[in-house]
Amino acid sequence: MARRPSAETDEVIAREVTIRGVVQGVGFRPYVYRLAHEHHLAGWVCNDERGVRLLLEGPSSRVGAFLDALPQQAPPASTIIKLDVCDTDVSGLVSFELRASTRSAAPTVRISPDLAVCEECLAEMRDPSDRRHGYAYINCTNCGPRYSLITALPYDRPKTTMAAWPLCSACAAEYGDPLDRRFHAQPVACPTCGPTYRLLVDDDVQAEGPEAIKVAAAMLREGRIVAVKGVGGYHLVSDARNVAAVAALRERKYRKEKPFAIMARDLDEAEAIVDLNATSRKFLVGTARPIVLAPAKMVLPLVAPDQSRLGVMLPYAPLHHLLFDAGAPAALVMTSGNRSSEPIAFTDDEARTQLEGIADAFLVGERPIARRVDDSVVTVQGERPMMLRRSRGYSPGVVAALPPGRPILAVGADLKNAIALVVEGDVVVSQHLGDLADYRTRQAFEQTIDDLLEMYDVPRSELVVVHDLHPEYVSTGWARERFPEQCLAVQHHHAHLASVLAEHSLRDQRVVGLALDGTGYGCDGTIWGCEILVGSLEEGFQRRGHLPPVPLPGGDAAARYPVQAAAGFLAGLSKLPDLRAAPIHFPERFDRAMSLVERGVRCFPSSSAGRMFDAVAALLGFTREASFEGQPAMWLEHQAEQASGMDAYPVEELASGPLLEHIIADRIVGRPIGEIAGAFHASLARVLSIAAARVGREESIAVVALSGGVFQNRLLVDSLEASLQREGFHVLTNEAVPVNDGGISLGQAALASTALAGHPRGGS
Ligand code: ZN
Ligand code: ZN
Ligand code: FE
């Protein structure tokens, strides 16, 4: 143990310390215990409903040194949100002890997200003399699953999905030893006492334990498809370099073109596949282990058609490492275990029914998954991270702090749903839940709300429930039905921009906001989606400009068929050439859509930027049905990326007509598609920047906030940010939550919190 402190004559003092944050289940108490011993201090440490509490007694210099060291050497998986120190009476304690958990009030301790296996555990797993050699469920307080196996708080083994496996004596000794890395590691297990893996083919067990993993690795080498149970759900896995295997996966999964993610064996393999910079590398190797989208360095046929980027992640569960160690191909397609657009399977029964006929074999672990937690997806713009899907490794982490007040439940939007719960001002955002049109997603939505309310012991009667202004959203209906007296509606694009301000902790910063997305119900009852707003969290937002609305024919179908969106945008133009003829070749669906527009039948006025991207994609050749949401816009961005240079058309007004006229004229004269796509991106950036700058100058505002799904387009963001910066504006966008509708619940919560604090909010 450590140095003798110099000032042995110091006055003896006592301090009580309370720590809030992610401090339970991450080795915090043993850490405090060791640190107190190193500093020769007496006292105790315990978990309580707010986090960790400790009492220190000793000479003031040593207490001071302890308090300096405490946040600096904290365990890797912990996050300290708040640390309070107060004086207390010296009671003459002689030793430092670990005390049992106390619980007297509602828990506000934060639940840890799931963490990638740590280096120490990996070393043990690969050590033939270790008792956990080759064990797929190895973990410790620094690593392993948390949120995906917690069933209730406080976080203790009986309240996890490991409850069914009593500890053997060796594990129990580690679990009970304050100086052990597995002290109170709730999911601790070993081959003697813990769950195992089995390989099933046609419901028959082919192999168990390490042998099961070996057989699975061999099947992957042979080009077979294996369903693998992971941390937050099942993956469908195949060799990423085996074209036939990837083709079979696409066909069986009915997933025509949507990109597949890849798991690379190690960082070297990842670097061979994609181009990484410092930021993307940091995300790739971090404990959250998201899928990182980065520029592709090699062509992997069928893995991500028409994309210049590939999604790559590194192994995070011990099982993944074991699969690679057993000889699985170095790059595996690891796609969510589902059929087409269903939610990812996370129970064994679900997997068997959903994935039957897709997977040749099932690698099934016994440990149940408490809740579905998809892989997170991050992309990096320059050095700025952009979360596209916030889920495993991040949820249910705190993303923002609001002024403390009543608990708030924000139910988000219907697509890419994620809910948010505000407890004592901390905004916890749930895992990505998905599209509420699917009944399983609705179940997960309700379950997640129940779970989080229960875990944090929030009384339903005290809740304020925030929902989107859209009267027909499933989430709106749910909120109004369950909490008829406690609801508050927030407009979709106001929420998008509020999410940016909330995550940057800007409460009274006034901004010009650009909110661009597919659809959002506007304050006037029409569909909005290309909005220039002004305001702040304190004062709310006002609409100051928008793309002039066009009549979109056929409602939801306009989002699936770019030519249908094109009809809406083109109907108002004079002197259209024959678009059914060369070079544009629109299919017959276009004529039918046009006739709906002309007759004014089933048309809905909309100012959607997303649909404008679709219309442009259609004009440039994407005339088929989109096979996944956002595909035409991604295709268009990809075309533009392949062209060199992006010169804007000479347009100044935020309107679709002049832009489309230029595009059609360019098409007729045979200008390359990529150049036209580039010109469209540059022109849109230019007109947005002109419009935002005008409002900014009128209002003396120097900050522009960007949010909404359209800003997943990096070309647009780059070009817009550059031109706004030239005009002297500072540009902010989402980093911690998605710019798409996955960030809506944070914005809803932030605006509701202001409304509750008595600040009147502006209207439309
Ligand atoms: Zn570990
Ligand atoms: Zn054991
Ligand atoms: Fe949106």
Side-chain angles (χ1 to χ4, degrees), residues 117-118 120-121 139-143 181:
V117 59
C118 73
E120 280 172 287
C121 284
N139 66 84
C140 72
T141 51
N142 297 327
C143 77
R181 210 172 85 248

Side-chain angles (χ1 to χ4, degrees), residues 492 496 517 741:
H492 191 87
H496 267 309
D517 63 3
D741 285 2

Side-chain angles (χ1 to χ4, degrees), residues 503-553:
E503 68 162 86
H504 290 280
S505 303
L506 299 170
R507 290 209 60 76
D508 48 16
Q509 172 73 57
R510 297 185 79 225
V511 295
V512 177
L514 295 175
L516 271 70
D517 63 3
T519 54
Y521 189 85
C523 297
D524 59 3
T526 68
I527 298 301
W528 292 6
C530 187
E531 309 304 314
I532 301 177
L533 306 167
V534 164
S536 71
L537 288 186
E538 297 271 316
E539 67 173 54
F541 293 96
Q542 305 278 342
R543 194 185 200 197
R544 290 295 296 272
H546 56 89
L547 193 69
V550 301
L552 277 188

Side-chain angles (χ1 to χ4, degrees), residues 433-510:
L433 295 169
D435 181 354
L436 294 181
D438 191 295
Y439 79 96
R440 272 160 305 203
T441 309
R442 282 202 298 279
Q443 280 175 345
F445 167 83
E446 294 188 10
Q447 187 65 52
T448 303
I449 292 171
D450 287 347
D451 280 358
L452 289 175
L453 290 179
E454 226 151 90
M455 286 179 189
Y456 288 118
D457 222 351
V458 176
R460 278 154 209 263
S461 58
E462 276 180 31
L463 271 183
V464 173
V465 180
V466 209
H467 58 78
D468 195 276
L469 196 58
H470 201 313
E472 275 150 43
Y473 265 1
V474 170
S475 49
T476 302
W478 183 90
R480 287 186 180 162
E481 191 194 312
R482 299 298 174 91
F483 298 91
E485 310 292 328
Q486 295 156 255
C487 279
L488 201 65
V490 167
Q491 201 276 328
H492 191 87
H493 303 96
H494 296 190
H496 267 309
L497 293 169
S499 74
V500 179
L501 298 179
E503 68 162 86
H504 290 280
S505 303
L506 299 170
R507 290 209 60 76
D508 48 16
Q509 172 73 57
R510 297 185 79 225

Side-chain angles (χ1 to χ4, degrees), residues 131-132 167-168 170-171 189-194:
R131 62 189 195 89
R132 292 191 181 85
L167 297 176
C168 68
C171 285
C190 75
T192 311
C193 65

Side-chain angles (χ1 to χ4, degrees), residues 367-446:
R367 184 177 73 202
I369 298 172
R371 56 186 57 75
R372 179 187 296 119
V373 192
D374 295 71
D375 292 319
S376 295
V377 184
V378 172
T379 182
V380 173
Q381 173 111 8
E383 296 294 337
R384 178 173 61 208
M386 185 185 267
M387 193 69 68
L388 299 179
R389 184 166 71 202
R390 190 177 170 282
S391 220
R392 179 187 49 73
Y394 298 100
S395 301
V398 174
V399 295
L402 300 171
R406 273 173 75 178
I408 297 168
L409 169 67
V411 298
D414 271 16
L415 283 173
K416 297 191 165 62
N417 181 272
I419 61 116
L421 181 65
V422 187
V423 189
E424 291 194 345
D426 285 348
V427 191
V428 167
V429 176
S430 78
Q431 71 275 33
H432 161 88
L433 295 169
D435 181 354
L436 294 181
D438 191 295
Y439 79 96
R440 272 160 305 203
T441 309
R442 282 202 298 279
Q443 280 175 345
F445 167 83
E446 294 188 10

